[in-house]
Amino acid sequence: MTEPEYEDSKEVARLNRAFYQAFERLDLEAMQSIWLDDPAIKCIHPGGETLAGRERVLGSWKMIFEHTTRIRVEIEDLSIAMLGEHAWASNVERVRAPTENGIQVTEMAATNLFRRIDGRWWMMLHHASPIARRFFPF
Amino acid sequence: MTEPEYEDSKEVARLNRAFYQAFERLDLEAMQSIWLDDPAIKCIHPGGETLAGRERVLGSWKMIFEHTTRIRVEIEDLSIAMLGEHAWASNVERVRAPTENGIQVTEMAATNLFRRIDGRWWMMLHHASPIARRFFPF
């Protein structure tokens, strides 16, 4: 990675973190300010279908926030690849949420895509899926 | 989309299709020729963890092919976004596989990323997750 790419990747890591902070804070305004305003944006929640466009993507976050009282998301194994004016972040989400039987911890594999326009980064894809099994026992 | 972008997106659609054909044919050589040789490549199978690098990614396909006798994958709702020298394909995979109780049909949401090097396209990410529920009842 070149020096400017490294600086850019730090910007992307910051936005990736801001995305999970908006999720933890159930902050719809922050979430709205992170997502690109483009019909091509997509969001796939764990176990969910592909939601496309700002109305459906942000509508789904609104619905999630309305049905969540408390959630904590730890990010692990973050890797960022710079793709010119786009960036691809991959990480594990360790999600803690209260249930009737105590705190439930689940792990998700996440793919996030970002796009830079006039120097500012925006989210264009969030794809998260539950990790049910390990492929390799080593 | 400009005319050259449209032509490029057809190339990407062709490689995306070739990927699913390699899967259906359980053809490891074809699969090897589709994936980029780069430690940054990643593959997330339905319910699986993130596999990174050529050895793990292609190792997982080898394992899947060894344990599969017959599979059919129909692609629906394909959309392709050109990201400069990269491309992002999003589609539903309708997977049919024989089980003890007859043919099982499952639907996956898939995110595929591609990269062009010297005019040739390569796969760098496959992320597939089972669709268990619809977010919006309309």
Side-chain angles (χ1 to χ4, degrees):
Chain A
M1 222 183 252
T2 62
E3 181 66 25
E5 271 184 341
Y6 176 68
E7 289 302 318
D8 288 342
S9 76
K10 284 203 296 188
E11 275 301 310
V12 171
R14 207 168 290 143
L15 183 56
N16 197 58
R17 200 159 53 236
F19 164 72
Y20 289 109
Q21 280 173 351
F23 187 5
E24 286 193 319
R25 291 171 187 164
L26 312 175
D27 184 340
L28 192 60
E29 265 187 48
M31 198 54 100
Q32 284 165 341
S33 75
I34 284 166
W35 281 87
L36 187 66
D37 189 1
D38 190 298
I41 64 171
K42 292 191 170 67
C43 188
I44 301 159
H45 296 290
E49 69 192 311
T50 303
L51 306 173
R54 202 167 162 87
E55 195 180 327
R56 292 210 138 199
V57 170
L58 288 166
S60 72
W61 285 109
K62 184 167 184 286
M63 200 181 288
I64 288 169
F65 291 172
E66 283 169 359
H67 291 84
T68 306
T69 48
R70 188 181 159 79
I71 195 158
R72 287 294 169 265
V73 188
E74 271 173 57
I75 298 313
E76 292 173 5
D77 297 338
L78 173 65
S79 73
I80 291 174
M82 303 306 298
L83 319 176
E85 294 300 297
H86 298 81
W88 160 32
S90 175
N91 54 247
V92 170
E93 306 170 356
R94 188 188 297 269
V95 179
R96 283 165 215 272
T99 69
E100 289 176 7
N101 307 314
I103 302 285
Q104 191 186 23
V105 182
T106 47
E107 279 191 349
M108 313 288 172
T111 297
N112 298 324
L113 276 183
F114 302 94
R115 178 178 175 183
R116 178 167 49 191
I117 299 176
D118 296 334
R120 210 202 120 163
W121 287 96
W122 303 86
M123 183 168 244
M124 58 193 306
L125 165 74
H126 172 63
H127 186 165
S129 55
I131 300 172
R133 59 185 162 74
R134 304 275 163 192
F135 228 88
F136 297 103
F138 47 85
Chain B
M1 222 184 254
T2 62
E3 181 66 23
E5 272 184 340
Y6 176 68
E7 289 303 318
D8 288 341
S9 75
K10 285 203 295 189
E11 275 301 308
V12 171
R14 207 167 291 143
L15 184 55
N16 198 58
R17 200 160 53 238
F19 163 72
Y20 288 109
Q21 280 172 352
F23 187 5
E24 285 191 323
R25 291 172 188 165
L26 313 175
D27 185 340
L28 191 60
E29 265 187 47
M31 198 53 101
Q32 284 165 341
S33 74
I34 284 165
W35 283 86
L36 186 65
D37 188 1
D38 191 298
I41 64 171
K42 292 192 170 66
C43 187
I44 301 159
H45 296 290
E49 69 192 310
T50 303
L51 306 174
R54 202 166 162 88
E55 194 180 329
R56 292 209 139 200
V57 170
L58 289 166
S60 72
W61 285 109
K62 183 167 184 284
M63 201 180 286
I64 288 169
F65 291 172
E66 283 169 359
H67 291 86
T68 307
T69 49
R70 189 181 157 80
I71 197 158
R72 287 294 168 266
V73 189
E74 273 172 56
I75 298 313
E76 292 174 4
D77 298 338
L78 173 65
S79 74
I80 291 173
M82 302 306 298
L83 319 175
E85 294 299 297
H86 298 82
W88 160 32
S90 175
N91 54 248
V92 171
E93 306 170 356
R94 188 188 296 270
V95 179
R96 283 167 216 271
T99 68
E100 288 176 7
N101 307 311
I103 302 286
Q104 191 186 22
V105 183
T106 47
E107 280 191 348
M108 313 288 171
T111 297
N112 298 325
L113 275 183
F114 303 93
R115 178 177 176 184
R116 179 167 48 192
I117 300 175
D118 296 334
R120 211 203 121 163
W121 287 96
W122 303 85
M123 183 167 244
M124 59 193 304
L125 165 73
H126 171 64
H127 186 166
S129 55
I131 301 173
R133 58 187 162 73
R134 302 277 164 194
F135 226 90
F136 298 104
F138 46 83

